Amino acid sequence: MSLNELELNMLVKTKCDDYVIYTKGKGEDYKRVFADFIHNRLTVEKVFRNIEDTKVVLVNFESKLYVLKVFKPKEKQLERFLKSFIKGDYYLNLMKKTDELWSKGVQFQNDFYLLAEKKIFNYASLFIMLIEYIPGQELSGFVE
């Protein structure tokens, strides 16, 4: 097994109902956050974004804070469908690259813990992402 294969094997793919779920390692805690989200049992601490196709919230799970992003693209669906076959899954590729960099010792903010998608072939119509929350001032606070 090559080093690249070993690094990318840190991501685990599972299925739950209509979702394909990718986690770092076994990611049992992250899957429980996802299950609580699906069953509407998470406490929302703050809403960062709430528009038609994108919801981003700060959630509390067992006294830990996470950023949860739900993205359901409504525009350019044919373009996104075709692009998914050519370039692959954008968010999965992002998660793999993040994981690869972490495994090489490059640490940066924000780690990507879980990606859940509703997929038809290689096309995902709904993305749910669980991302590390790092407290501090939001970037929008720096704009004058």
Side-chain angles (χ1 to χ4, degrees), residues 49-99:
R49 184 173 192 147
N50 187 7
I51 60 174
E52 185 179 350
D53 64 353
T54 307
K55 313 291 186 234
V56 182
V57 294
L58 180 64
V59 296
N60 188 326
F61 177 78
E62 296 180 354
S63 300
K64 292 182 182 176
L65 297 174
Y66 299 94
V67 175
L68 185 76
K69 178 178 181 179
V70 179
F71 177 52
K72 184 173 174 95
K74 302 220 185 275
E75 295 181 8
K76 301 180 181 177
Q77 289 183 340
L78 179 59
E79 179 183 326
R80 293 180 61 79
F81 180 78
L82 295 173
K83 196 185 272 187
S84 71
F85 285 99
I86 297 167
K87 292 190 173 188
D89 184 327
Y90 174 81
Y91 289 108
L92 179 58
N93 289 334
L94 176 62
M95 190 176 195
K96 287 178 180 178
K97 285 292 182 190
T98 301
D99 195 47

Side-chain angles (χ1 to χ4, degrees):
M1 181 179 297
S2 74
L3 184 58
N4 282 342
E5 289 171 331
L6 180 63
E7 292 163 357
L8 296 180
N9 282 338
M10 295 166 80
L11 296 180
V12 176
K13 177 181 175 182
T14 56
K15 292 189 178 185
C16 177
D17 298 326
D18 294 340
Y19 294 92
V20 177
I21 302 170
Y22 302 92
T23 55
K24 291 189 173 250
K26 292 186 181 186
E28 296 306 320
D29 286 347
Y30 310 136
K31 290 178 190 173
R32 288 189 3 245
V33 175
F34 176 72
D36 279 6
F37 167 73
I38 294 298
H39 295 97
N40 202 24
R41 296 186 299 238
L42 285 178
T43 302
V44 174
E45 299 288 331
K46 184 175 184 178
V47 176
F48 293 116
R49 184 173 192 147
N50 187 7
I51 60 174
E52 185 179 350
D53 64 353
T54 307
K55 313 291 186 234
V56 182
V57 294
L58 180 64
V59 296
N60 188 326
F61 177 78
E62 296 180 354
S63 300
K64 292 182 182 176
L65 297 174
Y66 299 94
V67 175
L68 185 76
K69 178 178 181 179
V70 179
F71 177 52
K72 184 173 174 95
K74 302 220 185 275
E75 295 181 8
K76 301 180 181 177
Q77 289 183 340
L78 179 59
E79 179 183 326
R80 293 180 61 79
F81 180 78
L82 295 173
K83 196 185 272 187
S84 71
F85 285 99
I86 297 167
K87 292 190 173 188
D89 184 327
Y90 174 81
Y91 289 108
L92 179 58
N93 289 334
L94 176 62
M95 190 176 195
K96 287 178 180 178
K97 285 292 182 190
T98 301
D99 195 47
E100 180 181 345
L101 291 171
W102 273 95
S103 69
K104 291 180 178 179
V106 178
Q107 295 183 357
F108 53 90
Q109 302 168 347
N110 296 59
D111 202 2
F112 202 149
Y113 298 132
L114 175 140
L115 172 64
E117 302 174 321
K118 281 194 174 182
K119 281 189 160 186
I120 299 170
F121 303 110
N122 198 40
Y123 174 69
S125 61
L126 173 69
F127 305 89
I128 300 170
M129 294 158 262
L130 187 64
I131 306 164
E132 177 181 22
Y133 172 70
I134 300 170
Q137 186 174 356
E138 296 174 29
L139 289 176
S140 61
F142 292 102
V143 178
E144 292 184 25

